């Protein structure tokens, strides 16, 4: 999200600190700027803020604000409705590709006496906060910024990558003390995040809220409320949107039949799949494929279709 904005604005001069991890020290102008809500899967960003602010608005209306001497962590922006940088934003941005950084992290852990780093726990911790969290003020963040502000600008990128690894370790060991959104029960927030990840990986299956609640050991009522609070949508609407997005991708990039695609995204009935697709994209699956081949753009209505299960 932030890396894309910096690249587009020409404000980024990146330092490749280690495979899979790069950083840049930057300073933006005084005007406010809207930030793109884009972040690739298995990528995360850590912004060490020295001046200015960033405001994130969740789909449920909650606002998360970053200020000086705080660190913004981003692993998922799908639950956000808007993001904006305040005037005079200055800091160091660390951008990490988790796949590319895996060997680097293993090497660092080896140097530290085979330190155990549970990245899965860190991912769950972040997912329980909707993929966005602000660290600080805390003992850790105060120490980080006290040292960061004394370093020459040329060394700040490397320092912040090292501190990001340290923060990853803290998260993998159980978090940094940042509460879940709105004081939500962390266990319920984690269950909602795990349910979201499970649905993303099983779009072809018949999914129901009772089955999800049993799988993740939480009541159906609590699961639905936590999911809406974290991601700004009911489970049903979110799942249908993901199914339609996957179907559109398969229509554009594969030669699978419409029947096979409908089954691949969890619809036993091709007619119901077609009705949902038409409602979402304003074109039937067949017409959407033809328009994609010809280079035309199918209209998007933005509607949410009804699913067969959840």
């Amino acid at each position: 999200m932030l890396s894309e904005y910096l690249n587009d604005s020409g404000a980024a001069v990146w330092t490749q600190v280690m495979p899979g991890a790069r950083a840049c020290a930057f300073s933006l102008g005084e005007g406010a700027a809207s930030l793109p809500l884009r972040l690739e899967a298995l990528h995360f960003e850590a912004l060490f803020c020295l001046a200015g602010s960033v405001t994130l608005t969740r789909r449920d209306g909650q606002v998360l604000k970053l200020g000086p001497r705080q660190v913004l962590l981003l692993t998922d922006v799908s639950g956000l409705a808007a993001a904006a940088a305040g005037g005079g934003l200055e800091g160091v941005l660390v951008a990490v590709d988790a796949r590319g950084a895996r060997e680097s992290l293993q090497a660092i852990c080896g140097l530290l006496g085979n330190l155990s780093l549970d990245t899965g726990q860190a991912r769950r911790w972040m997912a329980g906060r909707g993929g966005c969290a602000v660290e600080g003020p805390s003992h850790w963040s105060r120490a980080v910024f006290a040292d960061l502000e004394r370093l020459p600008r040329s060394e700040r990128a490397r320092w912040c990558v090292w501190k990001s690894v340290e923060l990853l370790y803290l998260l993998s060991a159980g978090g940094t003390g940042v509460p879940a959104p709105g004081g939500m029960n962390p266990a319920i927030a984690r269950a909602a995040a795990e349910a979201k990840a499970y649905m993303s990986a099983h779009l072809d299956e018949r999914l129901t809220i009772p089955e999800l609640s049993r799988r993740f050991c939480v009541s159906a009522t609590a699961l639905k409320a936590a999911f809406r609070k974290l991601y700004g949508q009911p489970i049903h609407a979110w799942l249908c949107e993901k199914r339609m997005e996957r179907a559109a991708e398969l229509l554009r990039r594969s030669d699978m039949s419409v029947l096979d695609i409908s089954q691949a995204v969890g619809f036993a009935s091709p007619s119901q799949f077609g009705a949902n697709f038409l409602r979402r994209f304003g074109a039937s699956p067949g017409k959407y494929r033809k328009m994609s081949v010809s280079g035309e753009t199918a209209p998007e209505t933005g509607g949410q279709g009804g699913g067969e299960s959840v």
Side-chain angles (χ1 to χ4, degrees):
M1 183 177 82
L2 284 154
S3 58
E4 292 208 18
Y5 177 79
L6 293 177
N7 288 337
D8 292 343
S9 66
V13 178
W14 294 97
T15 298
Q16 192 72 39
V17 179
M18 63 185 191
R22 56 185 184 145
C24 68
F26 69 91
S27 180
L28 302 182
E30 290 300 320
S34 177
L35 301 174
L37 297 179
R38 297 193 301 273
L39 187 64
E40 293 184 46
L42 297 179
H43 284 64
F44 75 81
E45 296 179 350
L47 171 60
F48 293 74
C49 182
L50 292 167
S53 65
V54 173
T55 302
L56 305 179
T57 304
R58 300 183 190 273
R59 291 180 184 271
D60 63 0
Q62 289 192 49
V63 175
L64 186 66
K65 191 157 186 175
L66 172 83
R69 300 173 73 85
Q70 292 181 310
V71 181
L72 174 64
L73 302 172
L74 295 172
T75 57
D76 182 3
V77 297
S78 64
L80 297 180
L89 180 63
E90 178 182 351
V92 180
L93 178 65
V94 176
V96 177
D97 176 349
R99 290 161 296 194
R102 186 176 294 114
E103 290 186 6
S104 301
L105 288 174
Q106 289 173 347
I108 291 171
C109 289
L111 290 171
L112 296 174
N114 294 320
L115 177 73
S116 176
L117 193 62
D118 186 353
T119 55
Q121 168 63 22
R123 286 195 300 271
R124 290 189 292 273
W125 189 92
M126 283 298 301
R129 286 145 183 83
C132 310
V134 171
E135 162 60 15
S138 65
H139 293 303
W140 181 86
S141 66
R142 291 187 186 98
V144 167
F145 282 97
D147 290 330
L148 178 61
E149 290 166 354
R150 286 197 294 265
L151 286 172
R153 190 179 179 89
S154 61
E155 293 302 316
R156 289 179 174 180
R158 293 180 182 86
W159 172 256
C160 287
V161 169
W162 175 249
K163 291 289 111 176
S164 296
V165 174
E166 185 178 296
L167 185 53
L168 178 60
Y169 169 73
L170 293 174
L171 295 180
S172 75
T176 65
V178 180
M184 188 186 305
N185 182 304
I188 295 176
R190 182 168 59 251
E194 291 175 350
K196 175 175 175 281
Y198 182 86
M199 289 188 290
S200 294
H202 297 82
L203 293 177
D204 60 326
E205 297 181 7
R206 180 178 176 82
L207 301 169
T208 67
I209 289 175
E211 189 272 332
L212 290 170
S213 66
R214 286 192 297 271
R215 178 178 292 274
F216 298 104
C217 303
V218 63
S219 75
T221 300
L223 177 62
K224 289 189 290 185
F227 195 97
R228 182 187 282 271
K229 193 173 188 66
L230 281 171
Y231 304 112
Q233 291 178 291
I235 294 177
H236 173 276
W238 182 90
L239 179 59
C240 190
E241 177 69 10
K242 292 303 173 185
R243 283 175 164 160
M244 292 298 101
E245 289 176 0
R246 176 60 176 157
E249 180 184 11
L250 291 173
L251 287 165
R252 293 193 306 270
R253 300 183 180 180
S254 79
D255 58 2
M256 293 171 62
S257 69
V258 171
L259 174 59
D260 287 344
I261 290 175
S262 71
Q263 294 173 343
V265 295
F267 285 84
S269 165
S271 61
Q272 190 169 22
F273 166 67
N276 277 273
F277 195 92
L278 176 63
R279 187 179 302 118
R280 173 61 180 84
F281 290 101
S284 69
K287 183 178 180 181
Y288 183 93
R289 171 171 273 168
K290 290 178 182 178
M291 295 175 74
S292 298
V293 170
S294 66
E296 297 180 66
T297 302
E300 294 195 19
T301 65
Q304 301 287 344
E308 292 199 330
S309 46
V310 169

